[in-house]
């Protein structure tokens, strides 16, 4: 039977640490606060924002939801970000994606202060992800690695196949895996024979955004797969990028479920980043 790498326990551990740190900061008079920017129109984003609000409540973190109508202008959002950047009571800023077509997520993300950028989307945090310098790294790639390690896997010297080189997950994950000293093969839409690269892998990360990208005929029993994909089927079900048959037929050593895998841990890492952001804003010596 394949081990199902569920994220609940790993996420709870992260939350315990965050709650303790948040409590320490409060004793020093700092009330951790995150601001989330949501543009109406995407029901999934609205759902995720509310889910994050609920978690903030449990962690003792203040959560401000800034909700805009679908027709909001880019300038209005940039104006809010400018205000939030200058507001010392706000320690983290997050933009819910996707945005309506008339808005540029890239331009809006660039406006966020790097010290408050809990999603690791600003140019300087992207660079820090590459170089390993201090900064706020993107949450989902961190969650992929943390989930795997929670189940006792190590990365140093391992053959890793990474499927997907997108800006949000694959590309930053590649850099984090380099620093874990894994030997990484990156596959993408022009890779002619994905199966040949999975055959050589001990560990695979899949972040494509297409259900059924990895099928049972492509995998082997010595493989552990972390599936970062989130896809909605026509019936409204959430599925990953790896076909459900892979786990059902026990074709691999271990696999992370969707939902209940990478996504679950990603939310926890966002709050871990918020506490890191506070450390950065108040100086390394004054840890919570
Ligand atoms: P993206 O920017 O669209 O990148 C997709 C990548 O997949 C690209 O590199 C693309 O190749 C590659 N690709 C497309 N078809 C392929 C195929 N048939 N075989 C191999 N590679 C293929 O996506 P993203 O924003 O990084 O997101 C990836 C997935 O992660 C999505 O399902 C997204 O919903 C999910 N996600 C999950 C979380 C979470 O919290 N769990 C957070 C963010 C995103 P090219 O580069 O050649 O185009």
């Amino acid at each position: 039977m394949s081990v199902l790498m569920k994220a609940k326990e790993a996420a709870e551990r992260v939350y315990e640490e965050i709650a303790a740190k948040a409590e320490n900061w409060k004793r020093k008079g700092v009330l951790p606060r995150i601001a989330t920017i949501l543009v109406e129109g995407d029901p999934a984003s609205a759902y995720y924002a509310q889910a994050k609000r609920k978690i903030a409540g449990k962690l003792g973190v203040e959560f401000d939801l800034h909700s805009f109508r679908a027709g909001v202008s880019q300038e209005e959002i940039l104006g809010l970000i400018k205000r939030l950047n200058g507001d010392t009571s706000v320690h983290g800023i997050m933009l819910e994606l996707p945005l309506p077509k008339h808005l540029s997520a890239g331009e809006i993300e660039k406006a966020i202060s790097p010290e408050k950028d809990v999603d690791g989307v600003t140019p300087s945090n992207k660079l820090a992800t590459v170089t390993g310098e201090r900064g706020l790294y993107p949450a989902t790639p961190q969650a992929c690695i943390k989930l795997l390690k929670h189940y006792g896997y190590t990365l140093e010297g391992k053959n890793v196949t990474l499927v997907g080189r997108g800006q949000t997950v694959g590309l930053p994950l590649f850099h984090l895996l380099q620093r874990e000293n894994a030997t990484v093969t990156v596959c993408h839409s022009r890779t002619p024979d994905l199966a040949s690269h999975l055959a050589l892998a001990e560990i695979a990360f899949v972040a494509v955004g297409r259900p059924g990208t990895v099928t049972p005929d492509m995998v082997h029993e010595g493989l552990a797969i972390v599936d970062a994909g989130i896809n909605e089927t026509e019936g409204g079900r959430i599925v990953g990028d790896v076909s459900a048959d892979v786990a059902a037929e026990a074709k691999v050593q271990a696999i992370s479920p969707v939902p209940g895998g990478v996504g679950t841990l990603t939310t926890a890492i966002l709050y871990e980043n918020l506490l890191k952001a506070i450390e950065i804003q108040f100086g390394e010596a004054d840890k919570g």
Side-chain angles (χ1 to χ4, degrees):
M1 223 170 73
S2 304
V3 171
L4 203 55
M5 296 190 284
K6 295 183 187 172
K8 192 165 180 269
E9 193 184 276
E12 272 165 11
R13 259 190 221 173
V14 175
Y15 287 134
E16 274 168 28
E17 283 168 23
I18 297 168
K21 282 188 178 180
E23 198 47 49
N24 276 344
W25 280 110
K26 279 188 213 163
R27 274 191 223 113
K28 294 178 194 169
V30 177
L31 185 57
R33 181 183 291 274
I34 191 164
T36 293
I37 302 167
L38 174 75
V39 180
E40 286 164 8
D42 181 61
S45 302
Y47 170 81
Y48 288 129
Q50 289 305 339
K52 284 174 199 157
R53 178 199 284 282
K54 227 165 126 184
I55 289 167
K58 286 187 190 153
L59 295 172
V61 166
E62 296 298 306
F63 185 98
D64 299 334
L65 182 61
H66 298 272
S67 194
F68 288 102
R69 68 198 188 285
V72 63
S73 71
Q74 180 121 332
E75 288 64 36
E76 271 178 89
I77 300 180
L78 292 174
L80 171 68
I81 291 178
K82 197 172 171 197
R83 190 161 63 69
L84 295 172
N85 284 345
D87 183 343
T88 52
S89 74
V90 174
H91 309 104
I93 304 172
M94 209 165 52
L95 177 69
E96 292 292 341
L97 298 178
L99 296 178
K101 288 214 161 41
H102 69 284
L103 299 170
S104 160
E107 289 307 309
I108 294 170
E109 286 171 345
K110 272 185 205 157
I112 297 172
S113 160
E115 293 195 340
K116 299 187 179 185
D117 169 26
V118 290
D119 227 350
V121 293
T122 56
S124 66
N125 282 324
K126 282 184 179 173
L127 184 63
T129 307
V130 175
T131 61
E133 277 167 66
R134 190 162 178 252
L136 298 168
Y137 304 159
T140 304
Q142 289 191 70
C144 288
I145 291 178
K146 201 171 197 102
L147 183 57
L148 189 79
K149 287 185 173 175
H150 181 78
Y151 282 86
Y153 287 93
T154 56
L155 283 157
E156 183 155 324
K158 296 283 162 59
N159 288 333
V160 172
T161 293
L162 172 57
V163 189
R165 56 179 174 183
Q167 292 282 331
T168 319
V169 189
L171 192 62
L173 179 54
F174 167 74
H175 294 294
L176 297 185
L177 289 170
Q178 288 296 316
R179 288 210 304 287
E180 294 283 342
N181 295 314
T183 304
V184 188
T185 301
V186 182
C187 300
H188 44 76
S189 66
R190 318 287 167 84
T191 302
D193 182 9
L194 185 55
S196 67
H197 299 287
L198 289 169
L200 297 173
E202 298 162 274
I203 293 164
F205 294 90
V206 189
V208 168
R210 207 184 62 128
T213 300
V214 175
T215 48
D217 55 303
M218 296 180 175
V219 299
H220 58 88
E221 284 172 3
L223 185 65
I225 307 185
V226 175
D227 186 354
I230 299 181
N231 310 288
E232 193 173 344
T233 64
E234 277 182 17
R237 265 188 331 118
I238 299 296
V239 298
D241 290 341
V242 179
S243 148
D245 306 340
V246 170
E249 295 172 21
K251 292 282 184 181
V252 289
Q253 198 176 83
I255 183 160
S256 68
V258 179
V262 173
T264 301
L265 201 47
T266 294
T267 310
I269 305 276
L270 277 172
Y271 283 102
E272 193 174 71
N273 271 354
L274 174 69
L275 272 297
K276 261 188 210 147
I278 295 175
E279 281 171 19
I280 290 171
Q281 285 158 48
F282 287 85
E284 182 73 31
D286 202 13
K287 281 194 177 180

